[in-house]
Amino acid sequence: MTALSVRQKLEILADAAKYDASCASSGTVGRDSASGRKGGIGSTEGMGICHAYAPDGRCISLLKILLTNSCIFDCHYCINRQSSNVRRARFTVREVVELTISFYRRNYIEGLFLSSGIIRSSDYTMEQLVAVARSLREEHDFRGYIHLKTIPDADPQLAQQAGLYADRLSINVELPTETGLKRLAPEKDGKRIETAMAGMRAAIEDGSDARRRYAHAPRFAPAGQSTQMIIGADRADDRAIIHRASALYDRHRLRRVYYSAFSPIPSPSSVLPLQRPPLMREHRLYQSDWMMRFYGFSAEELEGATDPETGCLPLDIDPKLAWALRHRDAFPVDVNRAPREALLRVPGLGVKAVDRILASRRHRRLRLDDIARLTRSIAKLRPFLVAGDWRPVQLADRLHLRPTSRASQLELF
């Protein structure tokens, strides 16, 4: 086999990493080169060629690659599965470290997202991932963001080491249901995945507790842990996905659950669906996830936004509007008297707009024009609220609240 150059490896392994959606860099601590040993290099702050966003809206660029796309597992949905006919490549630890440093010095990136196929064994692969992070932190004093994908079958001690060097760790649950996992990834065990996530939560909490007690205690995965689910590869409907995500948030205190719409791959397995799910479905699941995390909706409430027959969220309207149309008895809401929880359920009102309304109504009785200045669009709000000079005669007919035309959905790849 002809030896590949680093550039050829980069082309193969960067392309192979595009199917992993969980590469946001939100939640980490601020670090810069000035605070490092002898200055250090890298930063979690600043602007660059951006692929992820921090909580304050800053863009953070990440070098997103696989250590290798070779794998001893044969998951049906994975392009890198053992039986897949794809060109294989593998980085050495030193090559990944040198690429990261080189890209940073050129101002291409501000961090690293590193995952891998399983080679030799889970422990061996995890050792290689940890070695990359250790070299960046200890040998090069890299101060940028590092996100490592951890392997649930690996020795827990290796995950402990990874948390000392990485900002965020993630363990993919892969599919929403245990049935789907057994059918499409029989070599993976849902219980082992959950056990690894529970261990990660305990380690993160222990690390936070140590930091509160001792100022010089090492940080452990300060940006927490996340996971990813593939949508549309199995028969799970949106109700099952929403309940699964809610349970993961409750049990493991995840920072994020990412949803990745299944994309057909070359030489697909016969057990995979012939048609990909619409990418808008992925978008609607992200919106429902936002409603659980920031708007106070429970998974049971979000069931009310799904279609009773298909169990899926409507694609033509957002879940918040769908929920409101099925719960008309909760509207209209008086913006001058309603509690924050009720205002957050008004379609078109975001968290920031609700906070502005609560702050403003302490000084005066709000009119419709006042609400218009505090929000992006008053047209969507009118049927659902009462203001000082506005009261809808009745909640507008459901058809009038749906878009008259549908925008075409572009493809990811």
Side-chain angles (χ1 to χ4, degrees), residues 195-324:
T195 299
M197 296 175 79
M200 189 67 65
R201 173 191 171 179
I204 291 170
E205 291 177 346
D206 288 346
S208 298
D209 183 63
R211 289 286 298 179
R212 286 191 292 268
R213 294 170 180 268
Y214 310 104
H216 298 291
R219 294 185 182 276
F220 186 92
Q225 67 169 321
S226 61
T227 193
Q228 175 175 309
M229 284 190 281
I230 299 170
I231 306 305
D234 63 356
R235 299 185 181 90
D237 59 24
D238 290 350
R239 279 186 297 222
I241 294 168
I242 289 168
H243 277 280
R244 175 71 161 145
S246 177
L248 289 172
Y249 280 125
D250 291 342
R251 285 201 295 265
H252 306 304
R253 298 291 187 267
L254 300 184
R255 286 295 182 91
R256 289 290 302 275
V257 173
Y258 290 88
Y259 309 93
S260 179
F262 167 71
S263 179
I265 56 180
S267 304
S269 169
S270 60
V271 302
L272 292 174
L274 298 177
Q275 188 175 8
R276 72 186 68 194
L279 293 180
M280 183 56 71
R281 183 184 177 193
E282 177 187 301
H283 179 62
R284 296 304 184 207
L285 285 168
Y286 274 114
Q287 289 179 316
S288 69
D289 189 275
W290 205 262
M291 289 166 67
M292 287 191 292
R293 293 166 59 215
F294 299 106
Y295 289 80
F297 283 82
S298 67
E300 289 73 19
E301 286 181 300
L302 284 173
E303 276 195 39
T306 61
D307 187 296
E309 296 182 2
T310 65
C312 289
L313 297 165
L315 301 181
D316 57 338
I317 57 175
D318 66 76
K320 197 175 179 184
L321 177 56
W323 182 88

Side-chain angles (χ1 to χ4, degrees), residues 73-135:
F73 289 171
D74 204 31
C75 304
H76 291 284
Y77 52 81
C78 182
I79 192 172
N80 301 316
R81 68 188 187 278
Q82 186 182 43
S83 60
S84 181
N85 185 25
V86 297
R87 194 179 187 190
R88 307 291 182 173
R90 176 182 172 183
F91 280 126
T92 65
V93 170
R94 181 176 178 181
E95 286 172 338
V96 176
V97 171
E98 290 179 350
L99 271 175
T100 304
I101 299 302
S102 177
F103 275 41
Y104 171 77
R105 285 174 173 159
R106 288 173 172 81
N107 198 32
Y108 293 164
I109 63 165
E110 295 172 87
L112 171 68
F113 175 91
L114 183 61
S115 184
S116 181
I118 309 299
I119 45 175
R120 296 193 190 178
S121 68
S122 297
D123 283 352
Y124 175 79
T125 307
M126 195 66 218
E127 287 171 357
Q128 298 290 293
L129 296 174
V130 171
V132 170
R134 181 191 296 116
S135 178

Side-chain angles (χ1 to χ4, degrees), residues 168-207:
R168 174 170 289 181
L169 302 173
S170 55
I171 303 171
N172 284 355
V173 296
E174 306 294 353
L175 293 162
T177 65
E178 185 68 23
T179 302
L181 191 66
K182 289 180 179 178
R183 181 168 177 263
L184 300 179
E187 295 161 304
K188 295 184 177 179
D189 189 317
K191 291 182 179 178
R192 283 205 302 268
I193 293 172
E194 290 258 359
T195 299
M197 296 175 79
M200 189 67 65
R201 173 191 171 179
I204 291 170
E205 291 177 346
D206 288 346

Side-chain angles (χ1 to χ4, degrees), residues 2-4 8 11-13 69-70 80 84-89:
T2 305
L4 299 177
Q8 288 173 318
E11 290 176 354
I12 296 170
L13 297 175
N69 64 341
S70 297
N80 301 316
S84 181
N85 185 25
V86 297
R87 194 179 187 190
R88 307 291 182 173

